[in-house]
Amino acid sequence: MINKILFIGYGTITKGIINNISNKSSIKISIWSRHTSIENEKLICSSNLIKIIDNTDFIICCVPDDEASREVWGNQIIKDYIRKHRVYCMEISTLSYDYIKTWHNYIKSISGKPIESPLTGSREGANNGSLSLFIYTEYINQIKNFLLLFSHCIYEFKSEGEPTKFKLIYNFWGAAMIWQLSELYVIINKEFHCNELVWKILETDGWMSAVCKNIIPKVKENKFNDVRFKLKYMKKDVGYSKKFLEQSPLFGYVNDFYEEKVCKDNENLDYSVIVKEV
């Protein structure tokens, strides 16, 4: 039974997950964060790890990259706690394939119960509890009801690293579609005097509408501070996908595009800003 969770990382996705768990269960939640301070009867947020880790059954980590994940799980307080209490350790970050393979071995070596589960659904999915989880763990039967507090689809992979491999290819494909859209955005606006009609068609009709209806309104209105997914994370995921896609000419085009266009001025904005950067 899960009575208390420790979240590591408080951002767009974890905020929504935490709210769903808090609203749908009696599970107590602690958040280890250096920049946020929250405290109520079910939730405490602190930078003091020793203060909040006691009685934790389940640790969930959501961080930007391999380096941050390695720092979290290698923290001596966390390591000692896992070794002593044999808790569930869930990594929901999108990380590199090679790193996540070593992560499984490391968590098992300190007596933890590893759960690899990158996810998709963006801010909206986190807020309304409809995230999709790509997961590998030996403990799925023990935790499935808990996972359904904040997700609506759980895709169970059969071996370590497979969820991460899929997520990286999945995100690369999305990044490639945004690259194409950025090129065509310029062409459409140039070629059609009545481009509002063209964009209406693209946003509402046909197989491209799923992408266009989410991206184009933000581009037209310059709503890039309304962040669903930071541009720098898309660039990071493209880089991590190199292991599987390097031989494809498409990888070179997409990777070069993000290397050229992502900079300090836009990396923390919503990924849709890249369409405007061409």
Side-chain angles (χ1 to χ4, degrees):
M1 185 174 179
I2 301 168
N3 295 306
K4 184 182 174 186
I5 300 169
L6 172 64
F7 273 88
I8 300 167
Y10 188 71
T12 302
I13 298 299
T14 49
K15 182 178 180 180
I17 293 173
I18 287 166
N19 286 339
N20 273 282
I21 295 171
S22 181
N23 293 334
K24 298 175 184 178
S25 75
S26 60
I27 296 171
K28 292 185 177 180
I29 299 170
S30 295
I31 305 164
W32 184 34
S33 173
R34 296 182 176 91
H35 310 293
T36 307
S37 182
I38 307 169
E39 189 164 351
N40 58 45
E41 61 181 14
K42 291 177 68 175
L43 178 62
I44 181 172
C45 183
S46 175
S47 60
N48 186 340
L49 186 56
I50 295 175
K51 174 184 174 183
I52 60 177
I53 199 168
D54 282 350
N55 302 313
T56 293
D57 311 299
F58 205 118
I59 301 174
I60 299 179
C61 180
C62 184
V63 292
D65 52 30
D66 292 356
E67 183 180 352
S69 177
R70 188 177 291 110
E71 181 180 343
V72 165
W73 297 106
N75 179 281
Q76 195 63 49
I77 296 169
I78 291 175
K79 187 192 307 187
D80 290 344
Y81 188 88
I82 294 170
R83 186 175 282 118
K84 182 176 180 180
H85 298 280
R86 302 175 181 270
V87 299
Y88 295 109
C89 302
M90 186 173 185
E91 182 57 88
I92 64 174
S93 317
T94 302
L95 306 170
S96 72
Y97 177 80
D98 289 340
Y99 171 77
I100 205 69
K101 292 281 285 186
T102 63
W103 177 84
H104 277 278
N105 291 333
Y106 169 73
I107 295 298
K108 287 185 280 191
S109 76
I110 58 172
S111 303
K113 301 173 182 178
I115 305 161
E116 173 191 353
S117 187
L119 46 81
T120 192
S122 191
R123 182 183 63 193
E124 288 78 6
N127 288 343
N128 61 33
S130 62
L131 291 169
S132 296
L133 310 183
F134 311 131
I135 194 165
Y136 173 75
T137 183
E138 299 174 12
Y139 308 98
I140 189 66
N141 292 332
Q142 294 98 306
I143 65 171
K144 183 170 281 189
N145 288 338
F146 164 70
L147 299 177
L148 290 172
L149 293 174
F150 57 90
S151 68
H152 75 147
C153 288
I154 301 172
Y155 299 103
E156 299 176 43
F157 287 77
K158 300 302 182 183
S159 59
E160 297 174 0
E162 292 293 289
T164 295
K165 180 190 297 186
F166 175 76
K167 178 66 187 301
L168 291 172
I169 295 173
Y170 179 92
N171 277 13
F172 173 84
W173 198 339
M177 293 173 71
I178 303 302
W179 163 61
Q180 293 174 328
L181 178 56
S182 72
E183 297 287 331
L184 291 167
Y185 184 79
V186 175
I187 293 170
I188 286 172
N189 284 332
K190 178 182 176 182
E191 296 294 334
F192 292 92
H193 297 295
C194 185
N195 59 23
E196 287 303 316
L197 174 62
V198 175
W199 287 120
K200 180 180 178 181
I201 295 168
L202 291 171
E203 290 172 39
T204 60
D205 198 347
W207 60 271
M208 291 177 289
S209 61
V211 174
C212 289
K213 71 181 180 182
N214 288 319
I215 301 298
I216 297 305
K218 298 194 78 167
V219 175
K220 289 178 182 175
E221 299 172 26
N222 291 307
K223 287 189 173 181
F224 306 126
N225 287 310
D226 180 23
V227 180
R228 290 173 293 172
F229 184 57
K230 288 184 179 181
L231 179 59
K232 66 180 179 181
Y233 297 151
M234 181 165 276
K235 177 186 176 185
K236 179 262 299 183
D237 292 348
V238 169
Y240 281 168
S241 71
K242 180 178 180 179
K243 181 178 181 69
F244 317 108
L245 296 161
E246 186 175 16
Q247 301 307 312
S248 168
L250 181 61
F251 175 81
Y253 293 129
V254 175
N255 187 63
D256 288 350
F257 172 74
Y258 283 91
E259 286 289 337
E260 177 185 350
K261 299 298 182 182
V262 180
C263 62
K264 289 184 178 180
D265 290 339
N266 63 21
E267 64 179 9
N268 288 305
L269 299 176
D270 187 75
Y271 69 99
S272 57
V273 71
I274 203 71
V275 175
K276 211 63 175 284
E277 295 294 328
V278 175

